[in-house]
């Protein structure tokens, strides 16, 4: 069992820091998702573990062993990338056997282990094919089989599903979750910019933005109690509203009205950011038990039908608030006055400027 | 061709034929005609005969053909090895050093081949490296001349090679040597093959450097063609030229057959 540890790892390209003193530990057997917008340094962090970029500072440990100075081929990691990178001149079987041969595993064991890896990814029937004769999803399965065949302690996945269509992606996501259950000892570092993948698969999520780690926690923690505004808006697109803390009993002022929320330890008079998820807002006439006591009044800007839900954009005192409502029978007309409600426990108060 | 209208396609084809026929095809056709001729008094050679070929594939001429074939095969193999090796080494260099390498390997192309021939002659005419008057010096000069092309085509192919393959191999535990032989070389095979064909064709037709160097017992076919036409035997020369052309094309066709079987994408 071995995990991964980033110990103040910094990476710079031509003097630009693209990874800034990253401290992160992936526990043995854990699935850690690296989530962040494009260019935030996720791939760079992964490549540093694989050994394809050399950190300017800091150390990388795999299973407690410092691998910072080791070449990639001595790190014993499995890696799966977005473009699959299957060897086009080798059949599926030989692709999967490649790592076993390279590592000089006993000859007699190689075919059986390749078969096992192909079995695990459901590709046993395709061993004789060339990669170009497979669909994208099948190629990705082979790439995963190839990485698993060497029985790595650590599996690095860089947006492995992003080249697949939505339906295939959700299928593969379930497959990956199953693989993780079958291989509970393997630590996985899973790079993605898709929060659904991160929330579904990961034991913990590390949120990155502009070369820095912004937040790290279980999906529930990040979703229910984000610590920074960036996390709140990136994971689940929360609405962020500036409020003033009125008292410690749970009152906050927004747009001159009092809202009831958990103000925690925030001192009265300080400014804070109220964070509430679109799907936790309800549309209603007045405060009642069903809708919750807090009301946001505003003018309806836009209505989008999204199948199972309606997305409403409401202009509340100059802030654009998004609300996801179960499919409405009668959609309100844009331009009319509407009121959105939410329960106190569905809102989180962030100290102003947290994490910025 | 990226022309879609019917009139446009016609225009393109006529332009192509107009340029191609007189510039490329006609001279070659005349050579073919001359190779079957005994007189040339009118506009075209006449007096058809097969006798020119009788001489062209026998005795001294046959020897010249095999000399050319051996020289071209050996020198293109050597050039391919050296060029590939150099291109692989250059890839690992920093940008500045790589530029120097690139410039170095362009030299034999940039310098007139007579000069290359002279240089090789001067360099190897004195002990300890006395190669003057041997077959080796011809092969050596050809190798020097065609290595530049091998280097350039392999370099270009290496730039296009996706580093993801190498990295995937390395992450699977393959050492650099294993990556080279099991991943890079196989993926470069189509380009290596094309480079080999190019080198072979260039060497088969090389005359100017060869003229400076060839010993009497190692006379490649182009020299013999030159000698034949020089002493006025135009029809024999033409027959030899056709033999040279046909042999080269035949070998190139064989190369390209291997290439189509070796391309994976
Ligand atoms: N080889 C390189 N040379 C120079 N800059 C690079 C190189 N690779 C990445 N960068 C830069 O480093 C930054 C981080 O890149 P990285 O690939 O880690 O982003 P990412 O989070 O994986 O983004 P994405 O989601 O788009 O894949 C980017 O600004 C990128 O331009
Ligand atoms: Mg990336």
């Amino acid at each position: 069992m071995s995990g991964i540890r980033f110990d103040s790892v910094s990476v710079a390209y031509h003097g630009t820091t693209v990874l800034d003193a990253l401290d992160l530990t992936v526990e043995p057997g854990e699935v850690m998702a690296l989530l962040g917008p494009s260019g935030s340094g996720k791939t760079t962090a992964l490549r540093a573990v694989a050994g394809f970029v050399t950190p300017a500072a800091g150390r990388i440990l795999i299973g407690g062993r410092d691998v910072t100075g080791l070449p990639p081929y001595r790190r014993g990691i499995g890696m799966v990338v977005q473009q699959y990178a299957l060897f086009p001149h080798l059949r599926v079987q030989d692709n999967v056997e490649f790592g076993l041969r390279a590592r000089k595993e006993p000859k007699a064991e190689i075919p059986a282990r390749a078969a096992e890896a192909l079995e695990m990814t459901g590709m046993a029937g395709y061993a004789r094919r060339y990669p170009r004769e497979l669909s994208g999803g099948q190629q990705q399965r082979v790439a995963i089989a190839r990485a698993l065949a060497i029985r790595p302690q650590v599996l690095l996945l860089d947006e492995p599903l992003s080249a697949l269509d939505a339906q295939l992606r959700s299928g593969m996501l379930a497959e990956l979750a199953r693989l993780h259950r079958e291989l509970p000892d393997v630590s996985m570092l899973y790079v993605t910019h898709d929060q659904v993948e991160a929330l579904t698969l990961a034991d913990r999520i590390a949120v990155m933005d502009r070369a820095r780690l912004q937040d790290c926690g279980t999906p529930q923690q990040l979703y229910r109690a984000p610590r920074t505004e960036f996390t709140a808006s990136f994971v689940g697109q929360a609405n962020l509203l500036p409020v003033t803390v009125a008292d410690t009993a749970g009152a906050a002022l927004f747009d001159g009205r009092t809202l009831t929320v958990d103000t925690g330890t925030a001192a009265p008079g300080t400014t804070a950011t109220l964070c509430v998820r679109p799907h936790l807002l309800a549309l209603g006439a007045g405060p009642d038990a069903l809708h919750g006591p807090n009301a946001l009044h505003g003018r309806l800007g836009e209505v989008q039908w999204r199948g199972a839900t309606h997305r409403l954009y409401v202009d509340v005192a100059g802030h654009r608030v998004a609300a996801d409502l179960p499919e409405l029978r009668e959609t309100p007309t844009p331009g009319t006055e509407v009121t959105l409600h939410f329960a106190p426990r569905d809102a989180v108060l962030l100290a102003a400027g947290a994490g910025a | 061709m990226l022309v879609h209208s019917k009139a446009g396609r016609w225009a393109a084809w006529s332009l192509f034929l107009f340029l191609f026929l007189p510039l490329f095809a006609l001279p070659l056709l005349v050579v073919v005609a001359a190779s079957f001729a005994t007189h040339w008094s009118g506009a075209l050679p006449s007096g058809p005969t097969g006798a020119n070929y009788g001489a062209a594939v026998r005795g001294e001429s046959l020897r010249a053909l095999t000399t050319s074939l051996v020289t071209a095969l050996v020198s293109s193999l050597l050039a391919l090895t050296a060029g590939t090796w150099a291109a692989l080494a250059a890839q690992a260099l920093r940008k500045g050093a790589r530029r120097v390498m690139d410039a170095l390997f362009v030299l034999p192309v940039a310098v007139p081949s007579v000069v290359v021939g002279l240089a090789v002659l001067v360099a190897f005419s004195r002990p300890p490296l006395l190669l003057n008057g041997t077959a080796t010096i011809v092969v050596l000069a050809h190798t020097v001349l065609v290595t530049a092309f091998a280097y350039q085509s392999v370099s270009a192919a290496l730039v296009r090679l996706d580093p993801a393959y190498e990295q995937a191999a390395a992450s699977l535990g393959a050492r650099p040597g294993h990556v080279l032989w099991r991943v890079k070389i196989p993926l470069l095979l189509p380009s290596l093959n094309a480079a080999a064909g190019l080198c072979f064709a260039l060497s088969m037709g090389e005359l100017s450097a060869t003229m400076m160097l060839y010993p009497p017992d190692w006379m490649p076919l182009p020299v013999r063609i030159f000698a034949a036409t020089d002493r006025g035997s135009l029809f024999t020369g033409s027959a030899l030229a056709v033999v040279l052309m046909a042999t080269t094309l035949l070998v190139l066709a064989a190369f390209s057959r291997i290439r189509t079987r070796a391309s994976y994408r």
Side-chain angles (χ1 to χ4, degrees), chain A residues 47 52 72-74 77-79 83 85-89 95 98-99 101-103 132 146-147 150, chain B residues 162 164-176 178-179 182-184 186-187 263-265:
Chain A
R47 292 168 60 80
F52 300 128
Y73 60 87
R74 288 185 49 199
I77 40 148
M79 187 160 168
Q83 333 78 305
L86 292 177
F87 305 126
H89 59 293
N95 260 284
F98 185 92
R101 291 182 197 282
R103 296 157 73 102
R132 61 168 182 271
R146 183 176 69 174
I150 61 170
Chain B
D162 190 343
Y165 296 122
E166 261 173 79
Q167 293 181 351
S171 81
L172 290 167
R175 287 160 185 281
H178 197 91
V179 177
R182 295 297 152 84
V183 178
K184 276 175 117 167
L187 290 180
S263 60
Y264 311 105
R265 278 169 288 180

Side-chain angles (χ1 to χ4, degrees), chain B:
Chain B
M1 244 181 278
L2 292 168
V3 184
H4 295 295
S5 79
K6 204 166 180 180
R9 211 166 328 186
W10 264 108
W13 271 110
S14 342
L15 182 70
F16 171 70
L17 289 178
F18 181 74
L19 289 175
F20 176 81
L21 274 181
L23 284 178
F24 295 93
L26 276 180
L28 289 178
L29 286 175
V30 172
V31 170
V32 174
S35 70
F36 288 105
T38 46
H39 321 281
W40 194 348
S41 37
L44 284 175
S46 54
T49 173
N52 299 330
Y53 282 97
V57 294
R58 216 175 278 138
E60 282 294 297
S61 300
L62 185 63
R63 255 178 62 109
L65 178 64
T66 47
T67 300
S68 265
L69 274 172
V70 171
T71 308
L73 283 174
V74 173
S75 64
S76 43
L77 267 183
L78 288 176
L80 202 63
T81 314
T84 307
W85 192 343
L88 286 167
Q91 204 197 19
L93 293 176
R94 278 177 300 109
K95 219 173 186 163
R98 195 158 61 216
R99 287 245 176 80
V100 175
M101 280 281 268
D102 287 348
L104 221 60
F105 274 91
V106 165
L107 266 185
V109 184
V111 172
S113 38
V114 186
V115 179
V116 175
L118 182 66
V120 171
L121 183 66
V122 171
F124 298 110
S125 310
R126 291 264 165 76
L129 270 173
L130 185 65
L131 296 177
N132 197 358
T134 62
T136 316
I137 199 164
V138 178
V139 174
L140 183 74
H142 281 217
T143 307
V144 169
L145 282 170
V146 299
T147 300
F149 294 94
Y151 174 83
Q152 273 169 11
S153 22
V154 178
S155 291
L158 272 175
V159 170
R160 273 181 284 126
L161 193 65
D162 190 343
Y165 296 122
E166 261 173 79
Q167 293 181 351
S171 81
L172 290 167
R175 287 160 185 281
H178 197 91
V179 177
L180 178 67
W181 287 109
R182 295 297 152 84
V183 178
K184 276 175 117 167
I185 299 275
L187 290 180
L188 286 175
L189 217 53
S191 309
L192 291 178
N193 185 290
L198 179 68
C199 292
F200 177 82
L202 286 169
S203 169
M204 282 297 273
E206 216 298 317
L207 178 64
S208 33
T210 317
M211 288 290 276
M212 316 273 306
L213 298 165
Y214 78 94
D217 62 344
W218 196 260
M219 182 199 278
L221 197 49
V223 180
R224 206 173 155 75
I225 296 172
F226 178 78
T229 46
D230 200 37
R231 62 168 193 268
S233 316
L234 181 63
F235 305 120
T236 317
S238 297
L240 288 174
V242 172
V243 168
L244 177 64
M245 199 159 74
T247 315
T248 310
L249 286 177
L250 217 68
V251 176
L252 286 186
F255 271 127
S256 80
R257 265 195 84 85
I258 305 174
R259 177 150 76 251
T260 39
R261 289 189 45 198
S263 60
Y264 311 105
R265 278 169 288 180

